[in-house]
Amino acid sequence: MPRHKRGFDVDAARRALVKADPAFRPWVRSIGRIDYSSDWGRPFDVADALARAILYQQLSGKAAATIVGRVEQAMPEPRFHHRNLERLSDAQLRACGVSGNKTLALRDLARRDKAGEIPDARSLQYLDNEAIIAKLVPTRGIGRWTVEMMLMFRLGRPDILPVDDLGVRQGVMLLDGLPEMPQPKALMLRGEAWAPYRTLASFYLWRIADFRKEAVKRSQD
């Protein structure tokens, strides 16, 4: 069974991307180098990462960080392992600011983690992208997008394109000068040109979308 390396050569990917799609060239020149390789080498606990992703859903970063901090303090140790979550009652989670739906999701995650249904980080190295998604999305509160973020930012898989992501779609709209954001199916077809480095393309598309937001904000000041 082949082992998937964590991370990829960012500089080689950038050169391949601008060669495959010259539309990226001025943006890459303006934005500069994007590199998350320091995160790709760090050890991580899959269940812990998924629990944190659940808690961050549909909240601002600041609000979510506050809730995560409260839950960490309530647990015996600041790790979202099933043994630690099992020691917290639903009432304790609510007191930390965790919603009812997210509490149910954490309970399902803890149950699956305890049953050995959540693979550890080492096991993920021997699974392809779709196999990882298939293993993790049955967990309540974990969708394809959440797993794709793990594949990109934790595992450094080089060819992930989250076609449902709003920021990526906004980035493509600016990249191609479109009147509106492309639909996921159209984005998937458009992104074929960026393979096998669609992850880096996505990183740049997020930055391109941020550029637009900043421009709008400056015009309003």
Side-chain angles (χ1 to χ4, degrees):
M1 187 179 298
R3 177 176 177 269
H4 293 266
K5 179 183 176 182
R6 288 182 66 176
F8 55 92
D9 187 327
V10 174
D11 293 322
R14 186 177 65 253
R15 290 192 296 268
L17 181 62
V18 297
K19 182 177 181 180
D21 190 345
F24 273 104
R25 192 177 301 278
W27 290 104
V28 169
R29 189 182 302 115
S30 174
I31 293 168
R33 193 172 190 268
I34 298 177
D35 188 358
Y36 292 99
S37 59
S38 61
D39 294 325
W40 296 334
R42 293 177 183 173
F44 76 101
D45 182 287
V46 177
D48 178 86
L50 292 175
R52 294 172 188 276
I54 288 169
L55 291 174
Y56 266 83
Q57 288 170 359
Q58 299 176 326
L59 291 175
S60 69
K62 184 177 180 180
T66 298
I67 292 172
V68 168
R70 290 172 182 165
V71 179
E72 286 178 333
Q73 290 182 348
M75 294 189 295
E77 58 176 337
R79 179 179 170 221
F80 288 84
H81 188 274
H82 66 83
R83 287 189 295 269
N84 293 328
L85 285 171
E86 286 172 348
R87 295 189 180 186
L88 298 182
S89 67
D90 290 357
Q92 287 176 297
L93 288 172
R94 283 197 300 272
C96 293
V98 182
S99 69
N101 283 336
K102 290 185 180 182
T103 295
L104 291 173
L106 291 176
R107 296 299 184 210
D108 187 44
L109 174 62
R111 178 185 66 78
R112 292 176 185 274
D113 183 29
K114 186 175 183 178
E117 297 175 17
I118 305 298
D120 59 25
R122 179 176 175 79
S123 299
L124 295 184
Q125 296 179 62
Y126 297 93
L127 298 174
D128 64 28
N129 299 334
E130 291 302 321
I132 293 173
I133 291 170
K135 278 187 173 291
L136 298 182
V137 295
T139 303
R140 182 175 181 136
I142 300 299
R144 184 182 181 91
W145 180 88
T146 300
V147 183
E148 287 173 335
M149 296 303 105
M150 176 183 290
L151 291 169
M152 297 170 75
F153 289 100
R154 297 279 193 165
L155 297 179
R157 293 292 172 93
D159 202 27
I160 304 296
L161 179 62
V163 296
D164 294 311
D165 186 273
L166 182 63
V168 170
R169 294 171 62 204
Q170 288 176 334
V172 174
M173 181 177 69
L174 287 172
L175 181 76
D176 291 343
L178 303 175
E180 58 186 19
M181 292 185 294
Q183 294 301 309
K185 187 175 181 180
L187 176 53
M188 181 64 73
L189 293 173
R190 176 69 177 89
E192 289 179 358
W194 311 327
Y197 295 115
R198 285 178 282 192
T199 295
L200 187 65
S202 300
F203 291 159
Y204 275 106
L205 290 169
W206 276 318
R207 295 288 182 88
I208 292 169
D210 287 342
F211 176 86
R212 178 176 182 271
K213 294 174 186 176
E214 292 168 1
V216 169
K217 184 178 179 181
R218 286 196 299 269
S219 69
Q220 295 174 342
D221 290 343

